[in-house]
Amino acid sequence: MRVTIFGSGYVGLVTGACFAEAGNHVVCVDVDAGKIERLQRGEIPIHEPGLEAIVRRNAEAGRLEFTTDAVRGVDHGLFQIIAVGTPPDEDGSADLRHVLSVARTIGERMGSYCIVITKSTVPVGTADKVRRELETALAARGARIEFDVVSNPEFLKEGAAIQDFMKPDRVVVGTDNPRTMELMRALYDPFTRNRDRFIVMDVRSAELTKYAANAMLATKISFMNELAGLAERVGADIEMVRQGIGSDPRIGYSFIYPGTGYGGSCFPKDVKALVRSARGAGVTPQLLESVEAVNEAQKEVLVRKIRAHFGESLAGRTFALWGLAFKPNTDDMREAPARRVIELLWASGARVRAYDPVAAAEAQRLYGERPDLVLTKNAYEATEGADALAIVTEWPEFRSPDFDRLKKVLKHAVIFDGRNIYDPALLERFGFEYYAIGRGRAGA
């Protein structure tokens, strides 16, 4: 199969690499010349386990190419996949300018039948707009060329994207054309051969499915975080509650871990966009608005606990922060809870010493050089001279630290655990004051 992918960001690069790994000839197009040059040198601009090896292997085999030449991309692929960004507008709606610009480019250059696939996360009705852009561009040329528009949303988890693509839970395809459906099935056959995961539906349902999936997961997170606040007030342990409800197969254990709120490039943006879409359709999205409000408040919970312990003014104090990325196995700090924690600590007059296994460079890019932020090379270095330790991201290396060493190096034996990775009884035996999320009096 000949595949063209517009956009070499997270979704486009993973998609292109995995399709090439299955033997397809893939051309990735991006307007960012610097990014394309790095990719051509074998440098990967994002942290994703396993991605670098796949990109290099398929680039060396000639199955994966990178270019800024949109004309070459349009000429190349039977499948034209749109995987460009859809950043939130000021009102929270998805910005479709890049998506529609790509559609216009395809329409201006296409010379034969192709399938135009929207893989970017887009509101319901976007495929119709893409189709109109294509028709308008073709009409301006006086050309009559057949094409189809398909919705094929991605369901990739950062940190596990390769596994998700190669062994998907589902492949959702929105099309009303039986021939197009069979071509899409052939494209995905290497990834779905051993499991019946290919789901065909109408285009608008496919578009809504992506938003619905992310909104459901965000809802579970906000529900548990709100319940954690109640657990603290009534003296219950939310971790015990989590085990009690997670054992019910109707609920399950996924996404019911309390913490400092969700972040990243998907959940915050997609919940906002779905809220905006609902309002545009005349529906009041009460639950979704509450999900968003609970999450925004939860990002401040650690700082509230810090202020409750040390006082409202934190001037002259220094806090060690473990974790900057919004989740483990990524360097993505978009909407990361750590950013809110850092900025609130600064606003209270505190300094921050932070460590993250892979996101330090991203933090440096975001904040630059400043006297109240030190990015350290290891976790223990971050705690040197700090008044207390705050844990924001649950990287595996934080799970079993040397507590005796921590107690000696911290000015105060105090840990604020935003991910509930420690046992309160164990921390008490080591002599720490331990503040967790929703763990009864230990979380107060």
Side-chain angles (χ1 to χ4, degrees), residues 6 18 21 51 82 88 120 131 133 149 154 199 228 276 295 351 408 432 442:
F6 286 90
C18 290
E21 182 76 354
L51 179 59
I82 302 176
S120 302
R131 181 178 295 278
E133 287 288 343
V149 177
E154 53 86 16
I199 303 172
R276 178 66 180 172
N295 190 63
R351 296 183 298 273
K408 290 176 182 177
F432 282 90

PDB file of all heavy atoms in Angstrom, residues 6 18 21 51 82 88 120 131 133 149 154 199 228 276 295 351 408 432 442:
ATOM      1  N   PHE A   6      -0.007  13.518   6.286  1.00  0.00           N
ATOM      2  CA  PHE A   6       0.253  14.943   6.482  1.00  0.00           C
ATOM      3  C   PHE A   6       0.290  15.232   7.983  1.00  0.00           C
ATOM      4  O   PHE A   6      -0.695  15.027   8.694  1.00  0.00           O
ATOM      5  CB  PHE A   6      -0.838  15.786   5.806  1.00  0.00           C
ATOM      6  CG  PHE A   6      -0.723  15.810   4.311  1.00  0.00           C
ATOM      7  CD1 PHE A   6      -1.371  14.862   3.535  1.00  0.00           C
ATOM      8  CD2 PHE A   6       0.050  16.779   3.678  1.00  0.00           C
ATOM      9  CE1 PHE A   6      -1.263  14.880   2.150  1.00  0.00           C
ATOM     10  CE2 PHE A   6       0.167  16.799   2.296  1.00  0.00           C
ATOM     11  CZ  PHE A   6      -0.486  15.847   1.530  1.00  0.00           C
ATOM     12  N   CYS A  18       4.462   2.792  11.989  1.00  0.00           N
ATOM     13  CA  CYS A  18       3.826   1.471  12.141  1.00  0.00           C
ATOM     14  C   CYS A  18       3.293   0.936  10.813  1.00  0.00           C
ATOM     15  O   CYS A  18       3.394  -0.264  10.546  1.00  0.00           O
ATOM     16  CB  CYS A  18       2.719   1.550  13.180  1.00  0.00           C
ATOM     17  SG  CYS A  18       3.315   1.786  14.882  1.00  0.00           S
ATOM     18  N   GLU A  21       6.274  -0.346   9.063  1.00  0.00           N
ATOM     19  CA  GLU A  21       6.729  -1.590   9.685  1.00  0.00           C
ATOM     20  C   GLU A  21       5.971  -2.792   9.129  1.00  0.00           C
ATOM     21  O   GLU A  21       6.491  -3.914   9.092  1.00  0.00           O
ATOM     22  CB  GLU A  21       6.538  -1.500  11.204  1.00  0.00           C
ATOM     23  CG  GLU A  21       7.009  -2.699  11.985  1.00  0.00           C
ATOM     24  CD  GLU A  21       8.521  -2.767  12.141  1.00  0.00           C
ATOM     25  OE1 GLU A  21       9.241  -1.936  11.549  1.00  0.00           O
ATOM     26  OE2 GLU A  21       8.990  -3.665  12.869  1.00  0.00           O
ATOM     27  N   LEU A  51       9.797   3.879  19.398  1.00  0.00           N
ATOM     28  CA  LEU A  51       9.537   4.576  18.138  1.00  0.00           C
ATOM     29  C   LEU A  51      10.810   4.795  17.339  1.00  0.00           C
ATOM     30  O   LEU A  51      10.824   4.605  16.115  1.00  0.00           O
ATOM     31  CB  LEU A  51       8.843   5.913  18.410  1.00  0.00           C
ATOM     32  CG  LEU A  51       8.531   6.778  17.187  1.00  0.00           C
ATOM     33  CD1 LEU A  51       7.618   6.030  16.218  1.00  0.00           C
ATOM     34  CD2 LEU A  51       7.892   8.103  17.624  1.00  0.00           C
ATOM     35  N   ILE A  82      -4.752  12.659   7.050  1.00  0.00           N
ATOM     36  CA  ILE A  82      -4.580  13.979   7.661  1.00  0.00           C
ATOM     37  C   ILE A  82      -4.396  13.785   9.162  1.00  0.00           C
ATOM     38  O   ILE A  82      -5.308  13.343   9.867  1.00  0.00           O
ATOM     39  CB  ILE A  82      -5.790  14.888   7.379  1.00  0.00           C
ATOM     40  CG1 ILE A  82      -6.000  15.035   5.872  1.00  0.00           C
ATOM     41  CG2 ILE A  82      -5.599  16.252   8.030  1.00  0.00           C
ATOM     42  CD1 ILE A  82      -7.243  15.845   5.501  1.00  0.00           C
ATOM     43  N   PRO A  88      -6.902  23.936  20.508  1.00  0.00           N
ATOM     44  CA  PRO A  88      -8.141  24.592  20.928  1.00  0.00           C
ATOM     45  C   PRO A  88      -8.138  26.076  20.594  1.00  0.00           C
ATOM     46  O   PRO A  88      -7.136  26.759  20.778  1.00  0.00           O
ATOM     47  CB  PRO A  88      -8.169  24.364  22.445  1.00  0.00           C
ATOM     48  CG  PRO A  88      -6.742  24.152  22.830  1.00  0.00           C
ATOM     49  CD  PRO A  88      -6.094  23.497  21.653  1.00  0.00           C
ATOM     50  N   SER A 120      -6.768  13.118  12.592  1.00  0.00           N
ATOM     51  CA  SER A 120      -6.770  14.135  13.634  1.00  0.00           C
ATOM     52  C   SER A 120      -8.085  14.061  14.401  1.00  0.00           C
ATOM     53  O   SER A 120      -9.124  13.667  13.863  1.00  0.00           O
ATOM     54  CB  SER A 120      -6.636  15.532  13.015  1.00  0.00           C
ATOM     55  OG  SER A 120      -5.458  15.640  12.242  1.00  0.00           O
ATOM     56  N   ARG A 131     -14.705  17.278   2.683  1.00  0.00           N
ATOM     57  CA  ARG A 131     -15.251  16.937   1.367  1.00  0.00           C
ATOM     58  C   ARG A 131     -15.530  18.199   0.544  1.00  0.00           C
ATOM     59  O   ARG A 131     -15.216  18.258  -0.650  1.00  0.00           O
ATOM     60  CB  ARG A 131     -16.540  16.125   1.529  1.00  0.00           C
ATOM     61  CG  ARG A 131     -17.185  15.702   0.218  1.00  0.00           C
ATOM     62  CD  ARG A 131     -18.432  14.862   0.459  1.00  0.00           C
ATOM     63  NE  ARG A 131     -18.075  13.616   1.100  1.00  0.00           N
ATOM     64  CZ  ARG A 131     -17.617  12.533   0.466  1.00  0.00           C
ATOM     65  NH1 ARG A 131     -17.450  12.582  -0.862  1.00  0.00           N
ATOM     66  NH2 ARG A 131     -17.333  11.439   1.116  1.00  0.00           N
ATOM     67  N   GLU A 133     -14.075  21.117   0.831  1.00  0.00           N
ATOM     68  CA  GLU A 133     -12.797  21.715   0.411  1.00  0.00           C
ATOM     69  C   GLU A 133     -12.244  20.996  -0.815  1.00  0.00           C
ATOM     70  O   GLU A 133     -11.743  21.624  -1.750  1.00  0.00           O
ATOM     71  CB  GLU A 133     -11.781  21.630   1.557  1.00  0.00           C
ATOM     72  CG  GLU A 133     -12.041  22.580   2.699  1.00  0.00           C
ATOM     73  CD  GLU A 133     -11.749  24.034   2.339  1.00  0.00           C
ATOM     74  OE1 GLU A 133     -11.049  24.287   1.340  1.00  0.00           O
ATOM     75  OE2 GLU A 133     -12.237  24.921   3.065  1.00  0.00           O
ATOM     76  N   VAL A 149     -13.951  10.299   1.513  1.00  0.00           N
ATOM     77  CA  VAL A 149     -13.489  10.865   2.782  1.00  0.00           C
ATOM     78  C   VAL A 149     -13.889   9.914   3.901  1.00  0.00           C
ATOM     79  O   VAL A 149     -15.052   9.509   3.999  1.00  0.00           O
ATOM     80  CB  VAL A 149     -14.076  12.266   3.032  1.00  0.00           C
ATOM     81  CG1 VAL A 149     -13.630  12.801   4.405  1.00  0.00           C
ATOM     82  CG2 VAL A 149     -13.654  13.227   1.923  1.00  0.00           C
ATOM     83  N   GLU A 154      -7.678   8.082  15.948  1.00  0.00           N
ATOM     84  CA  GLU A 154      -6.617   7.325  16.622  1.00  0.00           C
ATOM     85  C   GLU A 154      -6.965   7.158  18.101  1.00  0.00           C
ATOM     86  O   GLU A 154      -7.629   8.001  18.699  1.00  0.00           O
ATOM     87  CB  GLU A 154      -5.265   8.017  16.457  1.00  0.00           C
ATOM     88  CG  GLU A 154      -5.227   9.484  16.868  1.00  0.00           C
ATOM     89  CD  GLU A 154      -4.962   9.676  18.344  1.00  0.00           C
ATOM     90  OE1 GLU A 154      -4.516   8.712  18.996  1.00  0.00           O
ATOM     91  OE2 GLU A 154      -5.200  10.775  18.853  1.00  0.00           O
ATOM     92  N   ILE A 199     -14.042  -2.017  13.275  1.00  0.00           N
ATOM     93  CA  ILE A 199     -15.415  -1.562  13.514  1.00  0.00           C
ATOM     94  C   ILE A 199     -15.770  -0.506  12.478  1.00  0.00           C
ATOM     95  O   ILE A 199     -15.126   0.545  12.405  1.00  0.00           O
ATOM     96  CB  ILE A 199     -15.572  -0.985  14.933  1.00  0.00           C
ATOM     97  CG1 ILE A 199     -15.164  -2.033  15.983  1.00  0.00           C
ATOM     98  CG2 ILE A 199     -17.001  -0.519  15.172  1.00  0.00           C
ATOM     99  CD1 ILE A 199     -15.099  -1.476  17.389  1.00  0.00           C
ATOM    100  N   ALA A 228     -12.117  11.290  46.180  1.00  0.00           N
ATOM    101  CA  ALA A 228     -10.955  11.354  47.073  1.00  0.00           C
ATOM    102  C   ALA A 228     -11.096  12.501  48.060  1.00  0.00           C
ATOM    103  O   ALA A 228     -10.728  12.381  49.236  1.00  0.00           O
ATOM    104  CB  ALA A 228      -9.675  11.512  46.261  1.00  0.00           C
ATOM    105  N   ARG A 276     -17.874  22.453  23.732  1.00  0.00           N
ATOM    106  CA  ARG A 276     -18.206  23.467  22.733  1.00  0.00           C
ATOM    107  C   ARG A 276     -19.135  22.896  21.665  1.00  0.00           C
ATOM    108  O   ARG A 276     -20.104  23.559  21.252  1.00  0.00           O
ATOM    109  CB  ARG A 276     -16.915  23.980  22.089  1.00  0.00           C
ATOM    110  CG  ARG A 276     -17.123  25.008  20.997  1.00  0.00           C
ATOM    111  CD  ARG A 276     -17.707  26.287  21.521  1.00  0.00           C
ATOM    112  NE  ARG A 276     -17.890  27.264  20.448  1.00  0.00           N
ATOM    113  CZ  ARG A 276     -18.522  28.407  20.586  1.00  0.00           C
ATOM    114  NH1 ARG A 276     -19.043  28.737  21.758  1.00  0.00           N
ATOM    115  NH2 ARG A 276     -18.644  29.238  19.563  1.00  0.00           N
ATOM    116  N   ASN A 295     -11.317  18.789  37.397  1.00  0.00           N
ATOM    117  CA  ASN A 295      -9.919  18.575  37.028  1.00  0.00           C
ATOM    118  C   ASN A 295      -9.079  19.821  37.263  1.00  0.00           C
ATOM    119  O   ASN A 295      -7.942  19.731  37.740  1.00  0.00           O
ATOM    120  CB  ASN A 295      -9.822  18.152  35.562  1.00  0.00           C
ATOM    121  CG  ASN A 295      -8.441  17.693  35.188  1.00  0.00           C
ATOM    122  OD1 ASN A 295      -7.942  16.705  35.723  1.00  0.00           O
ATOM    123  ND2 ASN A 295      -7.796  18.407  34.285  1.00  0.00           N
ATOM    124  N   ARG A 351      10.782  28.494  45.748  1.00  0.00           N
ATOM    125  CA  ARG A 351      11.665  28.030  44.686  1.00  0.00           C
ATOM    126  C   ARG A 351      11.415  26.544  44.464  1.00  0.00           C
ATOM    127  O   ARG A 351      10.945  25.836  45.364  1.00  0.00           O
ATOM    128  CB  ARG A 351      13.134  28.274  45.053  1.00  0.00           C
ATOM    129  CG  ARG A 351      13.510  29.743  45.193  1.00  0.00           C
ATOM    130  CD  ARG A 351      14.994  29.905  45.492  1.00  0.00           C
ATOM    131  NE  ARG A 351      15.342  29.282  46.760  1.00  0.00           N
ATOM    132  CZ  ARG A 351      15.262  29.883  47.938  1.00  0.00           C
ATOM    133  NH1 ARG A 351      14.825  31.131  48.014  1.00  0.00           N
ATOM    134  NH2 ARG A 351      15.602  29.243  49.049  1.00  0.00           N
ATOM    135  N   LYS A 408      17.337  12.407  55.644  1.00  0.00           N
ATOM    136  CA  LYS A 408      18.549  13.143  56.008  1.00  0.00           C
ATOM    137  C   LYS A 408      18.725  14.404  55.171  1.00  0.00           C
ATOM    138  O   LYS A 408      19.195  15.434  55.660  1.00  0.00           O
ATOM    139  CB  LYS A 408      19.775  12.241  55.844  1.00  0.00           C
ATOM    140  CG  LYS A 408      19.869  11.116  56.880  1.00  0.00           C
ATOM    141  CD  LYS A 408      21.062  10.214  56.589  1.00  0.00           C
ATOM    142  CE  LYS A 408      21.130   9.063  57.598  1.00  0.00           C
ATOM    143  NZ  LYS A 408      22.246   8.122  57.287  1.00  0.00           N
ATOM    144  N   PHE A 432       8.122  10.105  58.548  1.00  0.00           N
ATOM    145  CA  PHE A 432       7.693  11.173  57.655  1.00  0.00           C
ATOM    146  C   PHE A 432       6.278  11.634  57.977  1.00  0.00           C
ATOM    147  O   PHE A 432       5.421  10.830  58.390  1.00  0.00           O
ATOM    148  CB  PHE A 432       7.714  10.700  56.201  1.00  0.00           C
ATOM    149  CG  PHE A 432       9.073  10.665  55.571  1.00  0.00           C
ATOM    150  CD1 PHE A 432       9.858   9.527  55.639  1.00  0.00           C
ATOM    151  CD2 PHE A 432       9.566  11.780  54.916  1.00  0.00           C
ATOM    152  CE1 PHE A 432      11.114   9.483  55.066  1.00  0.00           C
ATOM    153  CE2 PHE A 432      10.822  11.752  54.324  1.00  0.00           C
ATOM    154  CZ  PHE A 432      11.608  10.608  54.405  1.00  0.00           C
ATOM    155  N   ALA A 442      -4.480  10.530  56.644  1.00  0.00           N
ATOM    156  CA  ALA A 442      -3.138  10.648  56.058  1.00  0.00           C
ATOM    157  C   ALA A 442      -3.127  11.613  54.883  1.00  0.00           C
ATOM    158  O   ALA A 442      -2.111  12.178  54.533  1.00  0.00           O
ATOM    159  CB  ALA A 442      -2.634   9.283  55.598  1.00  0.00           C
TER     160      ALA A 442
END
